[in-house]
Amino acid sequence: MGKITGFLEYDRVNGPVRDEESRVKDFNEFHDMLKMKDQQEQAARCMDCGIPFCQAGVMIAGMASGCPLKNLVPEINDLVYRGKPEEAYRRLSITHSFPEFTSRVCPALCEAACTCGLHDEPVSTKENEKAVIEYAFEHGLVKEETPKYRTGKKVAIVGSGPSGLAAAQLLNSRGHYVTVYEKKDRVGGLLRYGIPNMKLDKSVIDRRISLMENAGVKFVVNADVGKDISAKELLKEYDSVILACGAGNPRDIKAPGRDAKGIRFAVDFLTEVTKTLLDSDFKKPPYDLVRDKDVLVIGGGDTGNDCVGTCIRLGAKSVKQLEMMPVPAEKRLPSNPWPEWPKVLKVDYGQEEAIYKFGEDPRVYQTTVKEFIKDKKGNLKEVVLISLTPERDEKTGRMNMVPVEGSERTVKADLVLIAAGFLGSEKYVTDAFNVELDGRTNVKTAPGAYASSKEKIYTCGDMHRGQSLVVWAIFEGRSAAKEVDEALMGYTNL
């Protein structure tokens, strides 16, 4: 696949990226693409490795290795290399619902498992995928076909994030009548409001939604199922209901002073920023939320990084980002061999921008909050931090991060954003449908299945597997659609 000697002839070259000075002035995407000719050279690096771990999508040492969607990566790379982007798109669309989303926000599990990456830079599969899907949109190849025949079966999908959209796409293509309910004012769920515009321009979502609507999918916004609409109503009207509401229950920080004004959950903050931008057509960024404030972000993951980048764009005076765990190694350790997911230090766009703006990496490792300090009016003014150290539990053998006595220090903070992950699905939704939950408050199903404990009710995405990646959400949505289709029709050809 690709050029037999391509990996020897060509170095990896990524698409151009706007510099930090330019990009922090707006909320536009800043990753550009190579010219197709140059992208062909990058695809030529796919090395006919014999066992393409890139498309395996298996769990190794508790971590995903390769693409969960089973995209036939070498075939797609080969078609890009040979100058056949139309065929590459057709090949990609067989396994993938929304390459335009993952080619922007996925951490590229395929590249982490690339054989070429064992001794060199991996093949730029993510950018190859973006080149293919953007070519397809530009040339009118992307279509959501309206079914010639309808089955008469009706399916309600609660939640319009990536899993709900993927399920809706397949079920509509099969001929079922599909209605997607979204509690927010716009369709997209996590894609719309959980990911900033500079990572995923919202027009990318809108063009896909438009195609799906034209193909017959019905979207109902401002419809909070479990509050505005009862579970009983949906179960009466529809033959099947899919719960794809995400893992919307944020993990809190239980420390003295938590009731101080100025402490927010990260996704609530990102949602408000994006909604304000969209409502004003990007003419009125909400500078008042952050300008001239000392910001502390709690959490070192993608959402925490998004908060750092967003706060810099909104004029923060300073930004610090807390991470409980130790600094990762710069290169793979012997205990983390390829093709496992590489547990190595990476500097994401938010950290790059903080280094540019403030002269240092914002991350503070092995640290957590001990206390929030308020002023007389109840506003947050300072945070007491405490260092952590790894310590093995003698009973369980697990390594825990425990506080170091005497390591407390106080820092200024006007705004704290909690990006510490999520604990599972929201209770009012699961209570409304009376579905059984697992130990992590996700909707319980049989292993590898999507049917809940209640007849006609299915689940997928983060509500089923817990907080995860967009690519896993798409996989779950597609898989749930197949199970629902088989239950409705007695067989499935999805």
Side-chain angles (χ1 to χ4, degrees):
M1 298 298 174
K3 188 177 182 181
I4 297 298
T5 56
F7 71 99
L8 299 173
E9 296 177 36
Y10 306 117
D11 292 329
R12 175 167 173 145
V13 177
N14 296 319
V17 178
R18 279 198 292 147
D19 61 53
E20 293 88 347
E21 182 180 10
S22 167
R23 72 194 197 216
V24 299
K25 296 175 182 177
D26 58 52
F27 285 84
N28 299 329
E29 287 189 4
F30 53 86
H31 285 99
D32 208 344
M33 297 189 297
L34 297 172
K35 294 179 179 179
M36 186 57 80
K37 180 182 177 182
D38 296 325
Q39 204 67 57
Q40 286 178 245
E41 286 189 356
Q42 292 305 299
R45 298 183 68 243
C46 195
M47 60 188 298
D48 195 17
C49 59
I51 301 178
F53 288 90
C54 55
Q55 64 188 34
V58 296
M59 301 300 290
I60 301 177
M63 298 172 289
S65 181
C67 180
L69 292 169
K70 313 290 188 187
N71 290 334
L72 295 183
V73 174
E75 290 187 19
I76 297 164
N77 287 339
D78 183 60
L79 290 167
V80 173
Y81 158 61
R82 297 182 186 282
K84 298 180 178 181
E86 290 188 25
E87 292 185 31
Y89 167 67
R90 292 190 184 98
R91 173 64 267 182
L92 179 59
S93 63
I94 293 171
T95 56
H96 202 336
S97 294
F98 312 120
E100 65 269 31
F101 302 154
T102 54
S103 63
R104 287 170 165 82
V105 305
C106 186
L109 304 178
C110 50
E111 293 186 20
C114 175
T115 304
C116 194
L118 179 56
H119 298 295
D120 196 357
E121 290 292 311
V123 176
S124 54
T125 298
K126 182 176 174 179
E127 292 197 356
N128 293 346
E129 183 179 292
K130 186 176 181 181
V132 168
I133 189 60
E134 292 306 316
Y135 176 94
F137 270 108
E138 183 181 347
H139 290 82
L141 303 177
V142 184
K143 294 179 173 62
E144 297 283 352
E145 299 291 346
T146 304
K148 292 182 180 180
Y149 305 101
R150 289 290 180 179
T151 63
K153 302 293 185 180
K154 298 171 65 178
V155 181
I157 298 175
V158 185
S160 68
S163 61
L165 292 178
Q169 181 192 59
L170 285 194
L171 288 168
N172 181 70
S173 71
R174 180 72 160 96
H176 305 309
Y177 292 104
V178 179
T179 302
V180 180
Y181 292 87
E182 169 55 51
K183 68 178 180 180
K184 294 286 200 311
D185 62 334
R186 293 176 174 89
V187 173
L190 168 74
L191 298 168
R192 177 74 63 178
Y193 286 127
I195 299 174
N197 199 76
M198 54 272 195
K199 274 176 73 172
L200 175 62
D201 191 289
K202 305 315 167 189
S203 65
V204 175
I205 304 172
D206 293 336
R207 70 182 179 185
R208 177 65 75 169
I209 297 303
S210 178
L211 290 173
M212 293 177 69
E213 285 181 320
N214 291 338
V217 178
K218 182 180 179 181
F219 292 95
V220 182
V221 297
N222 295 312
D224 196 348
V225 175
K227 292 182 179 178
D228 304 330
I229 301 172
S230 71
K232 186 177 180 180
E233 288 178 72
L234 290 190
L235 291 169
K236 181 179 179 181
E237 183 177 352
Y238 294 91
D239 298 290
S240 294
V241 175
I242 300 178
L243 302 180
C245 309
N249 183 21
R251 188 189 303 275
D252 206 348
I253 300 297
K254 303 291 179 65
R258 173 62 180 85
D259 60 338
K261 300 172 186 175
I263 303 174
R264 305 190 61 181
F265 288 116
V267 171
D268 293 343
F269 168 75
L270 294 174
T271 295
E272 182 175 354
V273 172
T274 298
K275 179 169 168 46
T276 303
L277 289 169
L278 292 174
D279 287 349
S280 68
D281 196 23
F282 290 85
K283 294 176 182 177
K284 295 181 180 179
Y287 294 112
D288 57 302
L289 296 178
V290 179
R291 179 176 279 163
D292 297 328
K293 292 184 179 182
D294 293 302
V295 181
L296 183 68
V297 179
I298 303 175
D302 288 341
T303 302
N305 172 68
D306 291 337
C307 287
V308 172
T310 299
C311 288
I312 289 172
R313 283 164 176 75
L314 294 177
K317 182 180 179 181
S318 69
V319 182
K320 292 186 183 299
Q321 184 181 12
L322 302 189
E323 169 59 73
M324 292 183 63
M325 303 305 292
V327 183
E330 292 188 6
K331 295 182 179 180
R332 284 184 184 269
L333 298 175
S335 59
N336 178 216
W338 175 90
E340 289 181 6
W341 173 258
K343 295 183 285 187
V344 297
L345 179 67
K346 75 171 183 175
V347 180
D348 214 326
Y349 78 95
Q351 286 103 34
E352 290 174 346
E353 292 161 4
I355 292 169
Y356 156 75
K357 189 74 175 178
F358 305 116
E360 62 182 7
D361 194 312
R363 291 172 289 190
V364 182
Y365 290 92
Q366 294 186 227
T367 303
T368 192
V369 172
K370 183 176 181 179
E371 183 180 0
F372 299 105
I373 300 177
K374 300 174 284 188
D375 64 16
K376 293 180 180 178
K377 296 182 179 180
N379 297 310
L380 180 72
K381 67 173 184 176
E382 293 175 330
V383 177
V384 179
L385 306 180
I386 189 167
S387 298
L388 302 171
T389 188
E391 186 176 290
R392 191 174 298 280
D393 188 309
E394 294 182 2
K395 294 182 179 179
T396 64
R398 294 181 59 183
M399 193 66 74
N400 298 319
M401 301 301 293
V402 298
V404 178
E405 290 187 25
S407 65
E408 295 87 350
R409 68 260 194 212
T410 302
V411 298
K412 290 183 179 180
D414 307 295
L415 175 64
V416 166
L417 301 175
I418 301 174
F422 294 84
L423 296 174
S425 53
E426 293 184 275
K427 189 174 185 298
Y428 77 91
V429 179
T430 54
D431 282 353
F433 286 92
N434 196 28
V435 289
E436 190 176 347
L437 307 180
D438 64 17
R440 298 187 300 159
T441 72
N442 301 318
V443 178
K444 186 176 182 180
T445 68
Y450 299 87
S452 76
S453 58
K454 296 296 180 181
E455 188 179 0
K456 296 174 54 175
I457 302 175
Y458 298 78
T459 188
C460 61
D462 288 3
M463 197 171 189
H464 179 224
R465 66 180 290 117
Q467 181 186 0
S468 192
L469 304 174
V470 170
V471 68
W472 275 111
I474 294 172
F475 166 83
E476 290 251 327
R478 291 173 66 93
S479 300
K482 294 175 186 177
E483 189 169 319
V484 169
D485 182 45
E486 186 168 5
L488 291 175
M489 303 301 292
Y491 72 101
T492 183
N493 58 9
L494 292 177

